[in-house]
Amino acid sequence: MKKTMLFLSAALTAILFAGCASVQVTERADLNGQRITNGGGTSIAHINAQNWGFYFLKWPIATGSVEHPGMTSWFGEDSVNVPKTVALVTAKAKELGATKTEGLQSDRGSTMIPFPFPFLFYMQSTNVSGNAVR
């Protein structure tokens, strides 16, 4: 019984701090003089955005907020999907002065949380990368 209570306490603590959207930028100075464009243009940065959250069946419990990266959105914002994460990348590229974002790559995943109720709770994640070009 103690182990179950300990696990439930840890799970609830994790859920309290769950769900996060983040954007990381590799600036031009860190590209070692390499071009990251497919055609013409000036390389500005490489951008990576991630978002993840916890779901009950298909309904979001805690997800990363795409309007406020780094914040958690509770019960309602279904933001852990590729279109919303692409929007994070392109918004950051625009903020950096890019006129286009090239080489977009995306990945989406879903993992079942087996305890205490299998097949009811899931963690979903998305990861999108692209190159900001002017």
Side-chain angles (χ1 to χ4, degrees), residues 30-48:
D30 294 325
L31 296 175
N32 295 308
Q34 299 289 309
R35 288 179 45 123
I36 55 172
T37 65
N38 290 332
T42 303
S43 303
I44 296 175
H46 178 76
I47 303 167
N48 178 263

Side-chain angles (χ1 to χ4, degrees), residues 1 6 20-21 29 32 38 43 45 78 86 90 92 104 126 129:
M1 183 66 172
L6 180 63
C20 188
N32 295 308
N38 290 332
S43 303
D78 186 11
V86 166
T90 55
K92 183 53 113 174
L104 283 171
T126 56
S129 296

Side-chain angles (χ1 to χ4, degrees), residues 9-77:
S9 297
L12 288 174
T13 301
I15 288 174
L16 285 176
F17 298 102
C20 188
S22 64
V23 180
Q24 295 181 324
V25 176
T26 301
E27 299 288 343
R28 185 175 178 184
D30 294 325
L31 296 175
N32 295 308
Q34 299 289 309
R35 288 179 45 123
I36 55 172
T37 65
N38 290 332
T42 303
S43 303
I44 296 175
H46 178 76
I47 303 167
N48 178 263
Q50 297 179 350
N51 196 1
W52 56 278
F54 287 99
Y55 287 74
F56 172 72
L57 295 175
K58 65 175 184 171
W59 298 285
I61 297 172
T63 60
S65 173
V66 292
E67 284 81 27
H68 306 287
M71 302 293 294
T72 300
S73 176
W74 293 93
F75 303 105
E77 186 180 359

